[in-house]
Amino acid sequence: MGDAFDAVTDRARSRVDPDPTERERLGAVAETLIARAETAVEELPVSADVLQVGSTARNTWTSGNRDIDVFVRFPPKLSREQLERYGLRVGWEVLPDGREEFAEHPYVTGERSGFGVDIVPCFAVESAGAIQSAVDRTPFHTEYVATRLDSETAGAVRLAKGFLRGIGAYGSDLRTRGFSGYLTELLVLEYGCFRSLIESVAEWKLPVTIDPEGHGERSFDAPLVVIDPTDPERNVAAVCSERNVARLIHHARAFQDDPTVDRFVPDDPEPLSQEAMRAQLSDRETTPVAVRFDAPDLVDDQLYPQLDRSLRGLRDELDRRGFDPLRATTVANDHAVLFVECEVPARPAVERHVGPPVDAGEHASSFYEKYADSDAYGPFIDGNRYVVERSRERTSVRSVLEEQLFSIALGVDIEDALNENYEIMIGPRTATLAEEFGTEFARYFDPKP
Amino acid sequence: MGDAFDAVTDRARSRVDPDPTERERLGAVAETLIARAETAVEELPVSADVLQVGSTARNTWTSGNRDIDVFVRFPPKLSREQLERYGLRVGWEVLPDGREEFAEHPYVTGERSGFGVDIVPCFAVESAGAIQSAVDRTPFHTEYVATRLDSETAGAVRLAKGFLRGIGAYGSDLRTRGFSGYLTELLVLEYGCFRSLIESVAEWKLPVTIDPEGHGERSFDAPLVVIDPTDPERNVAAVCSERNVARLIHHARAFQDDPTVDRFVPDDPEPLSQEAMRAQLSDRETTPVAVRFDAPDLVDDQLYPQLDRSLRGLRDELDRRGFDPLRATTVANDHAVLFVECEVPARPAVERHVGPPVDAGEHASSFYEKYADSDAYGPFIDGNRYVVERSRERTSVRSVLEEQLFSIALGVDIEDALNENYEIMIGPRTATLAEEFGTEFARYFDPKP
């Protein structure tokens, strides 16, 4: 470490830090937006305060990732319906050319001078523990972080975000299941600087619990637990997958051993060609299977959990049937694909079925009688148990896919999509998927930590 | 039960009980043999007593199974070499046309008036616990049983032996690993009659411990423990396989439910033809493999344990390599065969290899470094662990058989035999084994309890 570490992080800073011009422009735009929002609030029959939240309010935004989040905070005694109506009214005043979107509430989103802008209504609750909707928490987070970060630690947060983005673990959306901005900020506050963050994470033994305010009251079953300083009941890292926590440890250790600026640059492989994918499958001698269908029209936070669940359902079924899945993935754009690479394409017509111990009385007798006059081989006795070899329900991966796809636990919208239409691919034919998903399969066949 | 049970056992008795003529002739022959042995003993420079032992001495021999065992019991202070010399001298006097065999000691065996005769020397030890050689126990067993059996219980022993023979579980040789004559006698003494034996065994919950003299001192790890009434340190059922104990339970329960004389008749199926075996294999869709070689010239008690060990070695290796053995058997006459039916003929060129958790410090780093620049896919991270897909050493059952047979744990004499020559068969070609082993494969493809 030492010079190399500093030299590399200096170079990384120049990638992630917004330049002074960008900063000044953002400040000026935010000021104008807030002023317009405050004017709009004055026209309402209720009082409300207007505040800037999010990374641009905390000086922790990284170059190019610059959304201005303006929250309009209403008294908690308002009904949800009133809040939404007033919130939208302010939103349209500030962004007359914006559009309405929906998260926890409907809100207005748009653009000003090249910056993305959201105007979001929330309730002015007493504390983050008393929220009425998820967004009510945000002002508490902003206040907590803003009062504790200085320009040096804010710089460390930007570096940490750049690092997490580089390794593909930044973002608490349900596709990434990585580290949110707030979580990154809390980690930097915990360890003080980027170097100390890297050194500490490299030594993490999971599960890791961090409780900045020492007020945690319950335990969480998660590899990483960061108790929200504004709400003792909440794990800020709840959405983080075990894999991403492990990946951060790996990359922290690797960066410590050999600091390079590459680790701040997302991996962007050349798309795999169909021929290359066919060659990979042929080298590996596996049995790949895929189900391809029109991706249901859902936001990523709804789509990916359903794809993951469907993939798990398919993989588990192939496993249960003895086709030994080796690896699997799901990919999506206009189409979505469940892809499983099996080790075994087929099993025999018979399967061993182990019954009860012969000395298990009634249970044993009825097993024997059930099979004595059946087509099964046996019952015979192995060790102290009855055993039969009965005919196997599914002898090939093909029959699982062709005959029982809909008996598998799929996401509900995925099932609907399959009801519309789908295509089953088995073996080398799956290589045609590289045409649409070359980058994804390039990653699949060159898997990295 | 009731009438059917009695009717069937009456018919079975007529199969197993020697008729009066056979009995008388045996008595006369035994008397002559003993007299001649006593005369021969008088010529020796040491004293010894002569006694008849075994089932013919206990009235528990079944029709057609009639060996006369004459023991010559020498003082224990004799050296083993003296015992053997004197023993053989008596043996040759009694059976001048006999031949020498070797078990615990050399002894003379031959034939008289259609009866098999053994003249065996042993030491006249104080008690069965103080034996100098295994055969020294036999006189104690004979005395214990002979003084406790009456003609009715002796009849029950003969029935029990007939039953065990019918189900193929009679004999303590290491091919059968079943019930010895002495063990059968002790079980009948324990339960009093054949019906009670059947009823009790049908209810056995393993492990079962029987200690007729209530003098057992240590515990035995066995499904059936019958403490030798003449030696508290010995389990008379030690050689009994779990499978044969379970089989006895099964057949006792089945006989109770439906008494038929068939159960006293050994199963003797029609030999399977090559065509029928080929059809079986094709129906089952398995991948059979066989190693065929000249059977080493050993007695069954040495051959079968070695065949069993070799089969286990082969089966375990095929299992370890992922070819999922479904069932296996070993058969022998002039040739011997190790036969394993696999579910999976081949696996992919890659195999998943799971490494340590990423947070396992040095251990994790060195795993990562070991594979980072290798040909393996990965390392990547699954859950919290490093994983690689490395190339598989053996991708087919054929390569296990052709390339590593001698690295498998085989019996020592089997390894020698394979060094002479052997033949590997894979797939339908194994059906040619039916030519030599049609009966054995008839049983294999119609397995019964």
Side-chain angles (χ1 to χ4, degrees):
Chain A
M1 306 247 289
D3 292 330
F5 191 97
D6 290 338
V8 165
T9 51
D10 283 349
R11 283 179 59 203
R13 269 181 222 280
S14 69
R15 290 179 55 94
V16 297
D17 285 348
D19 64 34
T21 324
E22 194 177 351
R23 238 179 249 267
E24 268 166 45
R25 281 183 44 231
L26 184 130
V29 172
E31 224 165 279
T32 313
L33 291 167
I34 289 168
R36 290 180 69 166
E38 282 171 343
T39 306
V41 164
E42 278 165 26
E43 304 295 311
L44 298 177
V46 295
S47 65
D49 66 327
V50 174
L51 65 167
Q52 189 188 352
V53 299
S55 63
T56 48
R58 304 171 194 169
N59 194 24
T60 58
W61 52 292
T62 57
S63 180
N65 300 291
R66 48 197 197 179
D67 285 329
I68 301 173
D69 297 320
V70 175
F71 271 40
V72 185
R73 201 155 49 164
F74 292 94
K77 63 175 195 296
L78 251 60
S79 71
R80 199 169 258 257
E81 190 251 322
Q82 287 173 305
L83 175 106
E84 292 177 0
R85 197 168 68 241
Y86 297 145
L88 286 173
R89 200 186 295 174
V90 175
W92 288 122
E93 284 288 329
V94 179
L95 298 170
D97 53 348
R99 64 185 188 283
E100 197 177 312
E101 288 207 348
F102 191 92
E104 182 83 16
H105 316 293
Y107 65 97
V108 177
T109 184
E111 211 199 293
R112 266 295 163 283
S113 318
F115 299 101
V117 179
D118 292 342
I119 310 289
V120 178
C122 73
F123 287 110
V125 292
E126 283 286 311
S127 73
I131 57 165
Q132 296 183 32
S133 82
V135 289
D136 300 348
R137 239 186 231 115
T138 309
F140 294 95
H141 293 169
T142 293
E143 193 200 340
Y144 185 86
V145 172
T147 57
R148 282 163 180 80
L149 284 180
D150 56 25
S151 72
E152 205 166 304
T153 44
V157 169
R158 291 192 298 270
L159 261 184
K161 286 183 178 180
F163 188 86
L164 286 162
R165 217 176 242 121
I167 68 170
Y170 186 70
S172 57
D173 60 278
L174 297 183
R175 177 177 186 177
T176 310
R177 308 233 296 134
F179 293 75
S180 67
Y182 180 49
L183 176 56
T184 311
E185 291 161 345
L186 293 178
L187 291 176
V188 168
L189 286 174
E190 175 74 15
Y191 296 115
C193 67
F194 182 69
R195 183 196 288 256
S196 165
L197 171 68
I198 291 294
E199 287 173 356
S200 304
V201 168
E203 300 293 326
W204 271 359
K205 305 286 174 215
L206 303 183
V208 162
T209 298
I210 294 169
D211 185 358
E213 294 299 309
H215 66 177
E217 284 159 4
R218 47 173 289 237
S219 69
F220 293 86
D221 180 24
L224 175 61
V225 177
V226 179
I227 306 290
D228 193 336
T230 74
D231 181 354
E233 294 287 319
R234 181 169 175 263
N235 175 16
V236 180
V239 89
C240 255
S241 68
E242 183 173 42
R243 176 164 180 264
N244 273 328
V245 178
R247 293 182 64 242
L248 180 59
I249 297 173
H250 166 82
H251 287 285
R253 191 160 55 209
F255 186 74
Q256 210 179 18
D257 290 351
D258 179 20
T260 65
V261 83
D262 293 350
R263 223 164 284 270
F264 289 84
V265 183
D267 185 40
D268 190 17
E270 279 292 301
L272 199 69
S273 68
Q274 290 193 46
E275 300 71 56
M277 181 155 166
R278 198 168 288 113
Q280 280 288 353
L281 293 170
S282 151
D283 281 357
R284 289 163 67 83
E285 298 174 13
T286 50
T287 301
V289 301
V291 184
R292 178 172 170 275
F293 51 98
D294 293 335
D297 186 21
L298 298 171
V299 297
D300 282 5
D301 267 8
Q302 292 182 299
L303 177 62
Y304 281 89
Q306 289 203 36
L307 287 174
D308 289 342
R309 184 167 358 138
S310 303
L311 184 66
R312 204 176 327 122
L314 177 58
R315 184 185 181 138
D316 288 353
E317 187 62 23
L318 289 165
D319 191 30
R320 203 171 72 77
R321 299 289 187 182
F323 305 117
D324 298 1
L326 179 66
R327 194 137 56 88
T329 192
T330 175
V331 293
N333 48 35
D334 289 349
H335 293 111
V337 174
L338 309 175
F339 178 88
V340 184
E341 235 186 327
C342 289
E343 290 197 19
V344 172
R347 289 265 169 187
V350 287
E351 70 178 347
R352 183 179 166 91
H353 176 55
V354 177
V358 173
D359 63 357
E362 197 51 51
H363 184 35
S365 312
S366 61
F367 180 90
Y368 178 77
E369 273 149 35
K370 175 175 175 187
Y371 286 103
D373 297 318
S374 75
D375 288 342
Y377 289 82
F380 56 95
I381 294 173
D382 192 359
N384 72 339
R385 287 181 178 268
Y386 284 121
V387 174
V388 292
E389 289 161 359
R390 59 185 183 189
S391 71
R392 187 185 293 272
E393 202 181 352
R394 305 255 171 253
T395 63
S396 67
V397 292
R398 179 173 297 279
S399 77
V400 171
L401 286 160
E402 290 182 350
E403 292 162 32
Q404 67 163 132
L405 195 54
F406 289 90
S407 74
I408 288 169
L410 301 166
V412 55
D413 294 296
I414 306 299
E415 196 165 331
D416 287 349
L418 293 179
N419 271 317
E420 290 297 312
N421 92 80
Y422 64 94
E423 184 185 359
I424 288 170
M425 303 170 173
I426 296 175
R429 229 165 68 64
T430 56
T432 58
L433 292 169
E435 195 176 354
E436 261 180 299
F437 298 101
T439 306
E440 289 84 345
F441 281 106
R443 286 201 188 94
Y444 181 88
F445 288 109
D446 185 13
K448 290 176 179 163
Chain B
M1 302 247 294
D3 291 331
F5 191 99
D6 290 340
V8 165
T9 52
D10 282 350
R11 284 179 58 205
R13 272 180 220 281
S14 70
R15 289 180 54 95
V16 298
D17 284 348
D19 65 33
T21 325
E22 195 179 349
R23 239 179 249 270
E24 268 166 44
R25 282 186 41 236
L26 184 130
V29 172
E31 223 166 279
T32 315
L33 290 166
I34 288 167
R36 290 180 66 170
E38 282 169 342
T39 308
V41 164
E42 279 165 25
E43 303 296 312
L44 298 178
V46 293
S47 67
D49 66 328
V50 173
L51 65 167
Q52 189 187 352
V53 299
S55 62
T56 48
R58 304 170 195 170
N59 193 23
T60 59
W61 51 292
T62 55
S63 179
N65 301 287
R66 48 199 199 177
D67 285 328
I68 301 174
D69 298 320
V70 176
F71 272 40
V72 186
R73 200 153 52 161
F74 292 97
K77 64 176 196 293
L78 250 60
S79 71
R80 196 168 260 257
E81 189 254 320
Q82 286 175 308
L83 174 105
E84 291 177 1
R85 197 168 67 242
Y86 297 146
L88 286 173
R89 201 187 293 173
V90 175
W92 288 123
E93 284 289 329
V94 179
L95 298 169
D97 54 351
R99 64 186 188 285
E100 196 176 313
E101 287 207 351
F102 190 90
E104 180 85 16
H105 317 293
Y107 65 97
V108 177
T109 185
E111 209 200 295
R112 265 297 163 285
S113 317
F115 299 102
V117 181
D118 293 340
I119 310 291
V120 179
C122 73
F123 289 109
V125 292
E126 283 288 311
S127 74
I131 58 163
Q132 296 182 34
S133 83
V135 290
D136 299 348
R137 241 186 230 113
T138 309
F140 294 95
H141 293 170
T142 294
E143 194 200 340
Y144 184 87
V145 172
T147 57
R148 281 163 180 81
L149 283 179
D150 55 26
S151 72
E152 204 165 305
T153 45
V157 168
R158 291 192 298 272
L159 260 185
K161 286 184 177 181
F163 188 84
L164 285 162
R165 216 177 242 116
I167 68 170
Y170 186 70
S172 57
D173 61 278
L174 298 184
R175 178 178 185 175
T176 310
R177 308 230 299 132
F179 293 75
S180 68
Y182 180 48
L183 175 56
T184 312
E185 289 160 346
L186 293 178
L187 291 177
V188 168
L189 285 174
E190 176 72 17
Y191 297 115
C193 67
F194 181 69
R195 182 195 288 256
S196 164
L197 171 68
I198 291 294
E199 288 173 354
S200 304
V201 167
E203 300 292 326
W204 272 0
K205 305 284 173 215
L206 303 183
V208 162
T209 298
I210 294 169
D211 185 358
E213 294 300 310
H215 66 177
E217 283 157 4
R218 47 172 290 234
S219 69
F220 293 86
D221 179 24
L224 175 61
V225 177
V226 179
I227 306 290
D228 193 335
T230 76
D231 181 353
E233 295 288 320
R234 183 170 174 264
N235 174 17
V236 179
V239 91
C240 255
S241 68
E242 183 173 41
R243 175 165 180 265
N244 272 329
V245 179
R247 293 183 63 244
L248 180 58
I249 296 174
H250 166 81
H251 287 285
R253 190 161 55 208
F255 186 74
Q256 210 180 16
D257 290 349
D258 179 21
T260 65
V261 85
D262 293 349
R263 222 163 285 271
F264 290 83
V265 184
D267 182 42
D268 190 17
E270 279 293 301
L272 199 69
S273 69
Q274 290 192 45
E275 300 71 55
M277 180 155 167
R278 198 168 290 115
Q280 280 287 353
L281 293 171
S282 153
D283 281 356
R284 289 164 66 84
E285 299 173 12
T286 50
T287 301
V289 301
V291 183
R292 178 173 172 275
F293 50 97
D294 293 336
D297 186 19
L298 299 171
V299 297
D300 282 3
D301 268 6
Q302 293 182 297
L303 177 63
Y304 281 90
Q306 290 202 35
L307 287 175
D308 289 342
R309 183 167 359 140
S310 305
L311 184 66
R312 203 176 328 123
L314 177 58
R315 184 184 181 138
D316 288 353
E317 187 62 22
L318 289 165
D319 191 29
R320 202 170 73 76
R321 299 289 186 182
F323 304 118
D324 298 1
L326 178 68
R327 197 139 53 92
T329 192
T330 176
V331 294
N333 48 34
D334 290 347
H335 293 112
V337 174
L338 310 175
F339 178 87
V340 184
E341 234 185 329
C342 290
E343 290 197 18
V344 172
R347 288 264 170 190
V350 287
E351 71 179 347
R352 181 180 166 91
H353 176 54
V354 177
V358 172
D359 64 356
E362 197 52 50
H363 184 35
S365 312
S366 61
F367 180 89
Y368 178 77
E369 273 149 35
K370 176 175 175 189
Y371 286 103
D373 298 317
S374 76
D375 287 342
Y377 289 80
F380 55 94
I381 295 173
D382 193 358
N384 71 340
R385 288 181 178 268
Y386 285 121
V387 174
V388 291
E389 288 160 1
R390 59 185 183 190
S391 71
R392 187 185 292 273
E393 203 180 349
R394 305 254 172 252
T395 63
S396 67
V397 293
R398 179 173 296 278
S399 78
V400 171
L401 287 160
E402 291 185 348
E403 292 162 32
Q404 68 162 131
L405 194 54
F406 288 90
S407 73
I408 288 169
L410 302 164
V412 56
D413 294 295
I414 305 299
E415 194 163 334
D416 288 349
L418 292 180
N419 271 316
E420 289 297 314
N421 94 79
Y422 64 94
E423 184 185 358
I424 288 169
M425 301 169 172
I426 296 176
R429 228 164 70 61
T430 55
T432 58
L433 291 168
E435 194 175 356
E436 262 180 298
F437 299 102
T439 305
E440 289 85 346
F441 281 105
R443 286 200 189 95
Y444 181 88
F445 288 108
D446 184 14
K448 290 176 180 163

